[in-house]
Amino acid sequence: MAEGEENLLVVIIDCNPVWWGRRQQQQAEPAQIVLSHCLDAIQVFVNSYLMLSHRNRVAVIASHTSKTHFLYPKNVPDPRLDQRRGEDGRYEQFATVDDTVVEEIKQLMTSDTATSELKTDTLLAGSLAVALCYIHRLEKEYQTGQQLNSRVLVIKAAEDSPSQYMNLMNIIFTAQKQNVVIDACILDKESGLLQQACDITGGVYLKIPQMSGLLQYLLWVFLPDLAMREVMALPPKVQVDYRAACFCHRTLIDIGYVCSVCLSIFCSFSPICSTCETAFKLAKPPMFKSKKKKRSLQNGGPSTSLL
């Protein structure tokens, strides 16, 4: 690492209560993992990242179904956590990260218990936007000659939400412009949207084969920096699902119609674009002219043409 360079890792945790609640009911199965076990693995991973270098910085964001919550660092520290630190002999920085993340997760998961209608989609687009804004703010605070190498790790549990396709694509191209790498650690089903994010920004996409080995995969694949990954034997790249979501129903489609003005995608043809309100002129069928017919007169007379 060159002089004046620092590394920043932003970890986004999918805290969808619907998905984790279902996994809690299936805890008897050996292939399942609960939120508490996932947080333990993430805490060890974050502490290992901080141990690599004193120039490494970390931020943790929780992605909920209704909001995005910044777990660490906090602008106003909790005095109760400050009193408990140092009593168990833990390193102060590690204890600060661990206690703050656990306490904020508890408050987040219990804050919406009285909500009658709970959404099942995770606000991943909003969490990525918050992460990019946080990275941009830190970069503006750096002086001339200093550099911040940033990357985002998304630990995703719930399924994709096609309704967030447009917002996610804007965020992905923004991250590419800011040279921010997006990595994805998938706990359940494949994510076509994060496959595109990792492929465009140069990150690593990995679906965990065994949930019990989450910590091992985090330390092996996502702990090394970008320079170290070039000399490591990482999992092969997956085939990226580049299907787009239509603007009318927010569903992924294979074949669709594209507006020639604003490039909006639709699953069915419409004479007027609902995005830019452009009216398309339908091509009329070609007009065929009738051919000239010749009729010969009797007695060998000259022929005349009739239109």
Side-chain angles (χ1 to χ4, degrees):
M1 184 185 302
E3 186 69 23
E5 288 188 4
E6 289 188 358
N7 295 325
L8 173 63
L9 173 63
V10 182
V11 181
I12 299 178
I13 307 174
D14 189 350
C15 297
N16 191 317
V18 177
W19 191 90
W20 287 110
R22 294 172 181 173
R23 292 304 177 273
Q24 184 69 32
Q25 297 176 356
Q26 303 172 358
Q27 187 177 0
E29 300 181 12
Q32 300 300 332
I33 186 174
V34 295
L35 181 58
S36 59
H37 297 164
C38 180
L39 288 179
D40 293 339
I42 294 175
Q43 289 176 357
V44 175
F45 167 73
V46 170
N47 293 338
S48 302
Y49 179 79
L50 295 175
M51 289 177 60
L52 291 178
S53 175
H54 66 280
R55 298 179 183 176
N56 289 353
R57 304 178 62 177
V58 69
V60 185
I61 299 175
S63 183
H64 202 263
T65 57
S66 58
K67 56 186 175 182
T68 296
H69 191 68
F70 218 102
L71 303 180
Y72 178 85
K74 302 296 293 183
N75 294 330
V76 180
D78 192 346
R80 297 174 300 174
L81 300 179
D82 295 337
Q83 295 177 0
R84 290 183 296 183
R85 291 180 192 130
E87 298 178 358
D88 52 1
R90 290 183 298 170
Y91 181 57
E92 183 177 356
Q93 187 177 10
F94 296 167
T96 302
V97 177
D98 296 346
D99 296 342
T100 304
V101 170
V102 171
E103 191 67 25
E104 293 294 329
I105 285 287
K106 289 180 180 179
Q107 296 180 6
L108 176 65
M109 300 301 287
T110 57
S111 59
D112 295 336
T113 54
T115 304
S116 57
E117 296 182 0
L118 193 61
K119 300 179 181 178
T120 58
D121 298 336
T122 305
L123 293 180
L124 182 60
S127 301
L128 285 172
V130 171
L132 292 182
C133 292
Y134 178 73
I135 293 173
H136 181 66
R137 191 192 74 181
L138 292 182
E139 290 177 348
K140 292 181 63 177
E141 296 176 356
Y142 275 60
Q143 300 178 358
T144 305
Q146 295 180 335
Q147 183 179 354
L148 181 64
N149 302 321
S150 306
R151 59 188 176 103
V152 179
L153 171 60
V154 181
I155 301 178
K156 194 173 189 305
E159 298 181 5
D160 280 343
S161 176
S163 60
Q164 303 182 37
Y165 172 79
M166 291 181 289
N167 296 332
L168 276 173
M169 293 308 299
N170 292 332
I171 293 171
I172 291 170
F173 289 117
T174 302
Q176 183 189 32
K177 186 176 181 180
Q178 293 182 351
N179 295 324
V180 177
V181 177
I182 299 179
D183 298 329
C185 178
I186 310 301
L187 302 181
D188 193 8
K189 296 183 179 180
E190 298 283 358
S191 174
L193 298 178
L194 287 181
Q195 286 179 0
Q196 300 182 32
C198 297
D199 185 65
I200 293 175
T201 60
V204 177
Y205 176 92
L206 176 65
K207 183 183 180 301
I208 302 300
Q210 297 180 358
M211 300 293 291
S212 58
L214 175 61
L215 177 59
Q216 285 77 6
Y217 289 108
L218 290 176
L219 297 177
W220 167 43
V221 179
F222 301 106
L223 183 61
D225 56 7
L226 301 180
M228 187 62 65
R229 291 178 182 179
E230 298 179 358
V231 297
M232 293 185 62
L234 297 177
K237 293 185 177 181
V238 298
Q239 185 176 2
V240 182
D241 183 8
Y242 269 108
R243 289 185 299 169
C246 65
F247 284 39
C248 46
H249 302 94
R250 303 293 192 269
T251 57
L252 298 178
I253 58 176
D254 297 320
I255 300 177
Y257 298 87
V258 181
C259 175
S260 59
V261 178
C262 64
L263 302 181
S264 299
I265 304 173
F266 303 96
C267 57
S268 59
F269 175 77
S270 176
I272 299 178
C273 177
S274 59
T275 304
C276 62
E277 298 182 354
T278 300
F280 301 101
K281 296 181 180 179
L282 299 179
K284 298 181 179 180
M287 301 295 295
F288 296 98
K289 295 182 179 180
S290 60
K291 297 182 180 180
K292 294 182 179 181
K293 297 181 180 180
K294 296 181 180 181
R295 185 178 64 180
S296 300
L297 298 178
Q298 296 180 355
N299 302 327
S303 60
T304 61
S305 61
L306 299 179
L307 296 179

